[in-house]
Amino acid sequence: MAATKETQKVKDFTETVKGMTGLVKENYINGVEFALSLWEENLKVFNAQVDQLLNLQQEYIQSGREFYDKFPREAATLWDGNPKAINGQVDRLVAFQKDYVDSVRKVSDKFTKEALNLGHKNVEKAFSLIDDYIGLFRV
């Protein structure tokens, strides 16, 4: 009868620990998902700000071009009166900035998705190892 009590105690212990590890696992996954959702929301806000900045920059460039076009050609000796030279360089700079912002966005989106997947895989692997370890205590 003593062996039965010992077996019962070990069984109760393993079930309790499995229940606790299940709760810890759920909470950990929820915490990782919450942190990544905050990251995604911050990225959305940042992307909206960058879009507004790029739009503002485009409006500023357009206003500068319109202002320069209003000058009389006699007074506008800057760039030999040919705004195409500077306009092409400005357009290249704006295109470069947009490409850079787009690549940063792609990398951050990819990072977020991969971090979430990696977090899930790590949690699943860690808790499967814990479950296997607890299973060793069963008689």
Side-chain angles (χ1 to χ4, degrees):
M1 192 166 218
T4 310
K5 287 182 183 179
E6 292 295 322
T7 305
Q8 186 64 30
K9 286 182 183 179
V10 170
K11 185 175 182 181
D12 289 343
F13 168 75
T14 56
E15 292 301 319
T16 303
V17 171
K18 276 193 174 192
M20 293 296 285
T21 56
L23 289 174
V24 170
K25 177 182 173 182
E26 272 184 48
N27 288 334
Y28 184 78
I29 289 175
N30 288 340
V32 169
E33 288 177 353
F34 177 72
L36 288 175
S37 69
L38 284 178
W39 175 273
E40 288 175 341
E41 288 300 317
N42 287 337
L43 281 177
K44 287 178 185 177
V45 170
F46 178 71
N47 285 336
Q49 290 175 343
V50 168
D51 287 339
Q52 288 178 353
L53 180 65
L54 291 175
N55 289 337
L56 180 66
Q57 180 185 27
Q58 194 65 31
E59 289 174 11
Y60 177 75
I61 290 169
Q62 188 64 30
S63 297
R65 287 179 182 167
E66 290 173 4
F67 178 75
Y68 181 72
D69 288 339
K70 289 181 183 179
F71 274 118
R73 289 294 169 207
E74 298 83 28
T77 58
L78 193 58
W79 304 291
D80 296 329
N82 184 8
K84 291 181 182 178
I86 193 68
N87 287 348
Q89 297 300 321
V90 170
D91 290 340
R92 277 185 37 192
L93 176 66
V94 169
F96 173 76
Q97 285 178 337
K98 286 183 181 179
D99 290 342
Y100 179 75
V101 167
D102 288 341
S103 44
V104 168
R105 285 178 181 169
K106 287 178 186 176
V107 167
S108 64
D109 289 343
K110 186 177 179 180
F111 170 77
T112 304
K113 290 175 185 174
E114 287 182 5
L116 181 61
N117 290 336
L118 184 63
H120 278 289
K121 287 178 184 177
N122 285 340
V123 169
E124 293 295 329
K125 184 66 174 174
F127 284 100
S128 70
L129 291 173
I130 290 171
D131 288 341
D132 291 344
Y133 180 73
I134 292 171
L136 296 175
F137 289 106
R138 289 201 168 193
V139 177

